[in-house]
Amino acid sequence: MPDEKNISGCPATCHRGGPYNRCIRRHQGPAAAAVKEQKILRSLFRVLTYHLVAVRDQAARAARNPEADAIHDARVASRRAATALGILAAGRILRRTEARGIKKTLRKMRRQGGVVRDMDIFLQSLSTAGRPGEARQLERWQHHIMRQRAMAVRLFIKSAVAVCVDARLARSLMQLYRMDAVVLRKALFSGMQWRLDAARKKAKKKLRQAMREQSIAATHQARIAIKSLRYLYELCTEAKIISDRTLLARLRNFQTLAGNLNDCAMTLRRLDELRTSNAPSEPSGDAVVTRLMNVQRSRISRLTKQVRSAVQSVLESSGLKDDLNTLLE
């Protein structure tokens, strides 16, 4: 079976012995290395600028029409923009304080959107897990939660508008366009390398901690670290720097399972809050809550085993074991 080829057309094993540009020079010569380097630089520049622009567009769309899909797209765009800002800050293209301020605004929108999403998940769990005799009780609870959701949507719209009018995003784009090409090249690739190494190290640490503790809180922290690493790998794939589809598939699988586990824990917590809240309740309300909580506990038990297997598969991935030396120096 022939060796797997990397994007330079050289055998994949060449990346194990040295940096990416050295691999191209060895097999295709200095001229080919310079051309490939410029192509990757242009791709990376285009990807970073796209995500910095897209987050404002998605935030504006979600502010105009705060439906579930629009809020989800705005939250994903904010994570991708935060990834791009992290690269720019690591490469010292942006001041760390300025990048931190922009990411704080993005994080606020993301968290407000997360509150709305949690309520949507909770409403969906109530509507799908109900029995015929519980319809009246569930309907009263749903009306109570819908009023809370309307308040959360207003806060989300306010945070989305803050992202749209944030002038620092436009300044970060202008900073990219004004930089000298040689300086920009060194800054972008060094920033990308630093962010990838840091994200891989943190992800491995959080995954091992989740394996040791086997708790929902530790799994959630590992999911956050994996999410950051996944967005970095996806950005590298968009820019055609590296491509590890096996690792990306395992990261997505773990993220999905850990997200489902976190949703079950959130639903369980909100069901418990219904007992002590001022939500309208029928005489049989406690029995309904107990039954729904038992359903969520059984789901948590099943998902915990699946998450443990997903963590093990991610830790065994060669993309996390090998040193990342496929980037240009």
Side-chain angles (χ1 to χ4, degrees):
M1 183 176 179
D3 289 340
E4 182 185 355
K5 302 290 184 178
N6 55 43
I7 60 174
S8 69
C10 307
T13 53
C14 294
H15 285 330
R16 308 290 172 85
Y20 184 67
N21 62 337
R22 202 176 300 159
C23 172
I24 298 176
R25 289 177 188 279
R26 183 185 304 125
H27 293 276
Q28 298 181 11
V35 171
K36 183 66 70 174
E37 184 178 310
Q38 288 300 318
K39 286 183 179 179
I40 293 177
L41 178 61
R42 284 195 294 269
S43 297
L44 182 57
F45 182 85
R46 184 176 63 252
V47 168
L48 291 175
T49 53
Y50 170 79
H51 288 309
L52 291 175
V53 172
V55 66
R56 299 181 70 175
D57 295 340
Q58 294 295 341
R61 172 173 166 254
R64 288 193 302 268
N65 184 25
E67 297 296 329
D69 290 341
I71 292 174
H72 171 74
D73 291 342
R75 295 180 72 218
V76 171
S78 73
R79 292 191 190 100
R80 296 187 189 280
T83 301
L85 289 167
I87 294 170
L88 298 182
R92 299 186 179 182
I93 299 172
L94 285 181
R95 293 194 303 271
R96 290 185 183 274
T97 53
E98 186 168 4
R100 197 178 298 122
I102 301 173
K103 288 199 281 188
K104 185 177 179 181
T105 305
L106 296 175
R107 191 184 308 116
K108 185 175 181 181
M109 180 187 72
R110 196 161 57 243
R111 287 179 176 173
Q112 294 295 345
V115 173
V116 179
R117 177 193 174 278
D118 287 349
M119 290 184 179
D120 289 338
I121 295 292
F122 188 41
L123 285 168
Q124 185 180 5
S125 67
L126 289 178
S127 62
T128 57
R131 292 178 177 175
E134 302 168 351
R136 186 177 177 183
Q137 173 63 76
L138 294 177
E139 185 178 352
R140 297 181 71 177
W141 281 340
Q142 285 170 347
H143 283 302
H144 176 73
I145 297 165
M146 285 298 293
R147 287 195 293 269
Q148 294 180 339
R149 185 186 185 279
M151 295 174 60
V153 166
R154 286 196 289 270
L155 292 174
F156 169 77
I157 292 174
K158 184 178 179 181
S159 61
V161 170
V163 172
C164 294
V165 300
D166 195 337
R168 292 172 298 184
L169 276 170
R171 285 203 301 269
S172 64
L173 282 169
M174 292 302 298
Q175 185 71 16
L176 271 174
Y177 281 104
R178 288 172 181 169
M179 287 191 69
D180 178 73
V182 176
V183 177
L184 182 63
R185 168 198 171 279
K186 293 180 179 178
L188 284 181
F189 288 130
S190 64
M192 177 70 80
Q193 181 72 69
W194 189 91
R195 287 294 302 150
L196 276 169
D197 289 342
R200 289 169 64 247
K201 191 178 297 183
K202 183 176 180 181
K204 287 192 286 187
K205 177 183 176 181
K206 294 296 183 180
L207 285 171
R208 293 191 181 105
Q209 183 178 350
M211 285 289 287
R212 285 195 309 270
E213 299 182 8
Q214 297 186 5
S215 64
I216 294 176
T219 303
H220 180 62
Q221 292 299 316
R223 175 173 168 257
I224 294 173
I226 287 294
K227 196 177 293 185
S228 300
L229 180 63
R230 176 197 155 190
Y231 284 124
L232 273 168
Y233 266 97
E234 287 181 345
L235 193 147
C236 287
T237 302
E238 288 181 66
K240 300 180 181 179
I241 299 176
I242 55 176
S243 180
D244 192 339
R245 295 182 180 180
T246 302
L247 177 59
L248 274 175
R250 291 180 180 182
L251 294 179
R252 290 193 191 102
N253 180 51
F254 169 77
Q255 190 177 331
T256 300
L257 292 173
N260 293 337
L261 181 63
N262 189 61
D263 290 342
C264 289
M266 178 273 301
T267 303
L268 191 65
R269 186 172 61 253
R270 287 187 175 274
L271 285 169
D272 191 42
E273 290 172 357
L274 280 178
R275 291 176 168 174
T276 57
S277 67
N278 57 356
S281 178
E282 298 287 329
S284 59
D286 285 346
V288 176
V289 169
T290 301
R291 185 186 69 79
L292 294 177
M293 289 178 73
N294 289 334
V295 170
Q296 295 301 320
R297 289 192 184 101
S298 64
R299 285 195 67 195
I300 287 174
S301 178
R302 185 174 66 253
L303 283 168
T304 300
K305 298 177 182 177
Q306 296 176 359
V307 166
R308 196 177 306 131
S309 175
V311 169
Q312 193 65 38
S313 69
V314 172
L315 286 173
E316 291 173 354
S317 300
S318 59
L320 287 182
K321 287 182 177 180
D322 298 335
D323 290 332
L324 258 177
N325 51 18
T326 57
L327 291 176
L328 294 165
E329 286 186 333

